[in-house]
Amino acid sequence: MFTEKDVKYIASLSRIHLNEEQTAQFSKDLEKILSYVKKLEQLDVSDVKPTSHVLPLKNVYRNDEIKPSLTQEQALKFSVEQHNGSFKVPKVIE
Amino acid sequence: MNYNELTAHEILENIKAKKCSASDVYNATYEHIDKVEDKVNAYVRVAPKEDTTSSIDETASTPIPIAIKDNICIENKETTCSSQILKGFTAPYNATVIDKLKNTGAIFVGHANMDEFAFGSSTENSSCGVTHNPWNLNHVPGGSSGGSTAAVAANEAIWAIGSDTGGSIRQPASFCGVVGLKPTYGRVSRYGLLAFASSLDQIGPITKDMTDSALLLNILAGYDPMDSTSANIDVPDYTQSLVNDVKGLKIGIPKEFFIDGIDPEVKDGVNEAIELLKKQGASFQEVSLPHTEYAVATYYIVATAEASSNLARYDGVQYGQRKMASETRKTKLVDMYEETRAQGFGEETKRRVMLGTYCLSSGYYDDYYLKGLKVRTLIKNDLDKVFEECDAIITPTSPTTAFKIGEKAKDPLSMYLSDIFTISANLSGIPAVSLPCGFSKAGLPIGLQIMAKPFDEQMLFKIGYTYEQQTPWHKKRTQLT
């Protein structure tokens, strides 16, 4: 069972605030989807290698060369608040 | 003659013969948008006519009006994934595909509507309103690239580009009666595409016929140092594969794809297409993809896990909207994250981010995410095995024609199951195309899906083009006024 307590925990990991009504609704939705997903339990995959990616790529490196890129000013332009050339956020600790 | 109803290859012939100019085509397209866009809502933003007109290059190789899905960055244009959280965000650079299109003179008509962050199969999950199917305005256009396919079907653009993570180009192409192609994973650069599931996403062309699809893929395809997952493999001229010949080709029909619950009219449409290709000399054999029934479950683990990670960046710090918690709640950093995402994300986005977070969370990773990756291997192996014997596979694109607006909106799982036939191509990385193969009695288009081996898009063009030479479906146009 996927309980409302589970939903609250997952919502906090996901950094999404939910109200009580949403918590109840998502608990129903996720319970339904996860019980459908459980059909994978029918398969024995103990000897199967996982596929995280379909191309045979390992680490892709580029030469360590400086190329044109966004300036600090351009990169900061899209943020809500800046301070002394940095992103400004609400306080982290009391 | 209405220029906006033509294909690009017809327009280019007309321009060459000096029967019309690129501006004529753009003006006809823009005037038509003015007339029908209120009914269709294909676009989230249409570029101002004055700006666009001044940038038209009459001497360019393909000065074709094109709609761009709202998850592909155009420099200095708002690009939002049809989400509130990115409202006001203007892209600081062009996606590689946009630069490539620009170099050929393509005319950017506007950003097309989509399910928020491409999460959906109906374009109902957009924060910019629902897009309507141009063949019947009470029905959905499919999704998530429903704005792009509706724009082409409604003659509000000659071309469009979309992105396909589990069927998001092919399923709406099927619902809107246009050609939508998902290239092989790695064929087209994704630099500048806002990521959904990075091991599955692929950009591809949406057009009125296979010839235009080849022209547009010729522009989009190719290696890009800015996308480390793009493949450094030569790109053929796809127009060379537009040949009316399928003699000797072996095509597989997976028995698992003709399941109960498939709309009989869809089944008939696809079977007629198979008969027609048989007459042209292709041979068909029944094949088995035994793990098909696990594809949707696998996809919703892998795709949501990757999405939950990719969407972590929308936190109100570097770009997009920031929302502070109300006074009754705390005002620390984490409260800002939670409130920004609570207000900025739509319901389906929250559902998927939470599902993905759950599948990756401590204690559940092995049972869900790792298991999903292993079943993905089985699904890929099934396809590899079929392609040892067959040149291509033919299936319906979706089990039904376009459903009614609102019909599946309250049941996420039934919505997910409308992608059952398209997902395997993403999980295994192979190319696949949907093209129209008839209409239901109610007048809604039916889509035929062709899948081929990795980097063998030529096979899709060969079979699709041959089919088009024998059929009228790709010449049908909607008549909205």
Side-chain angles (χ1 to χ4, degrees):
Chain A
M1 266 305 283
F2 201 74
T3 63
E4 292 192 11
K5 197 180 150 203
D6 293 327
V7 173
K8 281 182 182 156
Y9 175 63
I10 295 303
S12 77
L13 285 181
S14 307
R15 298 286 187 260
I16 297 172
H17 172 71
L18 298 182
N19 62 31
E20 290 305 317
E21 192 190 331
Q22 290 168 324
T23 306
Q25 184 58 45
F26 282 127
S27 138
K28 269 189 230 154
D29 291 349
L30 292 174
E31 166 67 21
K32 196 172 169 192
I33 296 164
L34 287 167
S35 56
Y36 175 78
V37 163
K38 280 215 162 58
K39 73 189 291 158
L40 298 188
E41 285 174 7
Q42 298 161 5
L43 296 169
D44 176 13
V45 290
S46 45
D47 296 329
V48 181
K49 281 190 182 159
T51 299
S52 58
H53 208 269
V54 289
L55 294 177
L57 291 171
K58 289 273 185 287
N59 293 324
V60 179
Y61 296 110
R62 58 167 175 78
N63 292 333
D64 187 16
E65 291 163 0
I66 296 172
K67 291 190 175 161
S69 61
L70 296 185
T71 62
Q72 186 179 21
E73 199 176 289
Q74 286 169 325
L76 282 168
K77 194 174 93 180
F78 308 99
S79 61
V80 178
E81 269 191 289
Q82 311 97 31
H83 181 71
N84 286 347
S86 302
F87 297 111
K88 190 178 174 192
V89 296
K91 63 183 167 187
V92 181
I93 45 170
E94 292 295 343
Chain B
M1 178 173 52
N2 297 322
Y3 296 126
N4 56 313
E5 292 182 16
L6 299 178
T7 60
H9 59 90
E10 289 165 340
I11 290 166
L12 295 175
E13 274 168 30
N14 276 309
I15 291 178
K16 207 172 161 190
K18 301 205 179 337
K19 285 182 187 161
C20 74
S21 68
S23 302
D24 293 337
V25 177
Y26 172 72
N27 290 338
T29 305
Y30 194 87
E31 280 165 26
H32 194 63
I33 290 173
D34 241 8
K35 264 192 234 161
V36 305
E37 176 60 6
D38 280 354
K39 300 180 183 103
V40 181
N41 194 33
Y43 289 97
V44 292
R45 284 171 302 278
V46 176
K49 193 178 180 197
E50 315 79 71
D51 301 2
T52 311
T53 309
S54 62
S55 70
I56 295 174
D57 176 4
E58 294 287 348
T59 63
S61 60
T62 53
I64 301 297
I66 185 166
I68 307 295
K69 190 175 181 178
D70 194 28
N71 60 354
I72 296 170
C73 290
I74 306 180
E75 193 175 356
N76 295 326
K77 300 274 185 201
E78 200 177 352
T79 305
T80 68
C81 287
S82 299
S83 176
Q84 286 302 309
I85 210 162
L86 277 169
K87 204 168 183 241
F89 171 73
T90 51
Y93 59 85
N94 276 334
T96 297
V97 291
I98 297 298
D99 274 336
K100 284 177 174 237
L101 285 163
K102 218 175 163 185
N103 290 340
T104 67
I107 301 159
F108 301 110
V109 182
H111 266 125
N113 199 10
M114 57 186 279
D115 285 296
E116 184 183 13
F117 289 108
F119 296 157
S121 311
S122 67
T123 316
E124 290 168 295
N125 295 331
S126 167
S127 76
C128 308
V130 175
T131 297
H132 298 258
N133 190 314
W135 292 97
N136 183 328
L137 298 170
N138 297 321
H139 289 249
V140 301
S144 64
S145 310
S148 297
T149 57
V152 174
N155 304 307
E156 294 184 74
I158 307 298
W159 283 349
I161 53 176
S163 65
D164 190 313
T165 306
S168 279
I169 288 174
R170 290 161 289 155
Q171 185 259 22
S174 164
F175 282 13
C176 288
V178 296
V179 174
L181 189 145
K182 182 199 90 75
T184 310
Y185 185 83
R187 181 85 285 182
V188 175
S189 167
R190 303 174 305 169
Y191 179 67
L193 168 72
L194 281 76
F196 161 6
S198 304
S199 82
L200 304 165
D201 297 340
Q202 188 59 203
I203 291 174
I206 293 161
T207 57
K208 289 170 186 157
D209 67 7
M210 291 302 291
T211 303
D212 271 15
S213 189
L215 286 172
L216 184 47
L217 187 59
N218 270 356
I219 298 170
L220 302 178
Y223 172 68
D224 175 18
M226 298 300 279
D227 175 4
S228 61
T229 60
S230 72
N232 201 345
I233 298 174
D234 286 344
V235 181
D237 174 1
Y238 292 111
T239 61
Q240 297 294 313
S241 303
L242 299 168
V243 290
N244 185 6
D245 181 15
V246 290
K247 280 185 203 71
L249 292 184
K250 284 189 203 161
I251 303 175
I253 307 171
K255 60 180 182 192
E256 293 83 1
F257 279 54
F258 288 84
I259 46 164
D260 295 341
I262 184 169
D263 181 335
E265 288 187 290
V266 170
K267 198 172 166 181
D268 290 349
V270 172
N271 280 332
E272 277 168 33
I274 291 169
E275 287 308 314
L276 198 147
L277 287 166
K278 262 186 205 164
K279 279 193 195 130
Q280 300 302 310
S283 68
F284 282 82
Q285 62 188 87
E286 188 180 271
V287 295
S288 178
L289 297 169
H291 296 95
T292 300
E293 66 167 302
Y294 303 102
V296 172
T298 303
Y299 173 80
Y300 278 91
I301 293 173
V302 174
T304 59
E306 292 187 25
S308 71
S309 166
N310 273 325
L311 267 64
R313 73 193 65 183
Y314 305 111
D315 59 2
V317 176
Q318 294 179 58
Y319 34 65
Q321 297 284 311
R322 174 184 292 188
K323 301 287 176 199
M324 296 307 290
S326 59
E327 283 167 31
T328 51
R329 298 182 63 238
K330 295 173 196 163
T331 53
K332 286 202 294 190
L333 179 64
V334 65
D335 303 310
M336 185 278 281
Y337 290 155
E338 291 187 342
E339 197 59 29
T340 296
R341 290 159 70 83
Q343 291 192 35
F345 288 157
E347 197 181 311
E348 180 63 15
T349 301
K350 289 174 189 164
R351 197 179 288 121
R352 293 208 193 188
V353 167
M354 286 196 290
L355 181 60
T357 302
Y358 181 72
C359 293
L360 289 172
S361 65
S362 175
Y364 299 98
Y365 180 91
D366 286 358
D367 285 349
Y368 290 98
Y369 185 62
L370 190 60
K371 181 116 193 184
L373 294 184
K374 288 180 172 184
V375 182
R376 182 178 186 180
T377 305
L378 298 177
I379 290 164
K380 186 174 181 295
N381 290 350
D382 286 352
L383 281 159
D384 287 349
K385 208 173 145 204
V386 168
F387 283 124
E388 282 172 17
E389 293 174 14
C390 295
D391 300 301
I393 294 172
I394 277 187
T395 74
T397 306
S398 190
T400 66
T401 54
F403 42 89
K404 282 203 171 112
I405 290 170
E407 189 181 326
K408 298 191 180 191
K410 289 285 161 224
D411 185 358
L413 189 56
S414 86
M415 184 78 86
Y416 296 176
L417 289 169
S418 75
D419 294 335
I420 186 159
F421 299 148
T422 47
I423 277 171
S424 301
N426 300 83
L427 290 171
S428 58
I430 61 171
V433 67
S434 175
L435 65 156
C437 71
F439 286 81
S440 69
K441 286 194 196 78
L444 290 165
I446 301 167
L448 175 77
Q449 179 176 233
I450 311 169
M451 300 190 264
K453 293 170 196 172
F455 298 102
D456 192 11
E457 283 82 2
Q458 294 107 303
M459 185 61 68
L460 306 179
F461 289 116
K462 210 170 164 180
I463 298 170
Y465 182 80
T466 302
Y467 176 76
E468 280 183 349
Q469 301 317 300
Q470 333 295 327
T471 52
W473 317 120
H474 61 291
K475 291 183 181 153
K476 300 253 181 201
R477 300 286 177 264
T478 55
Q479 298 298 331
L480 290 171
T481 48

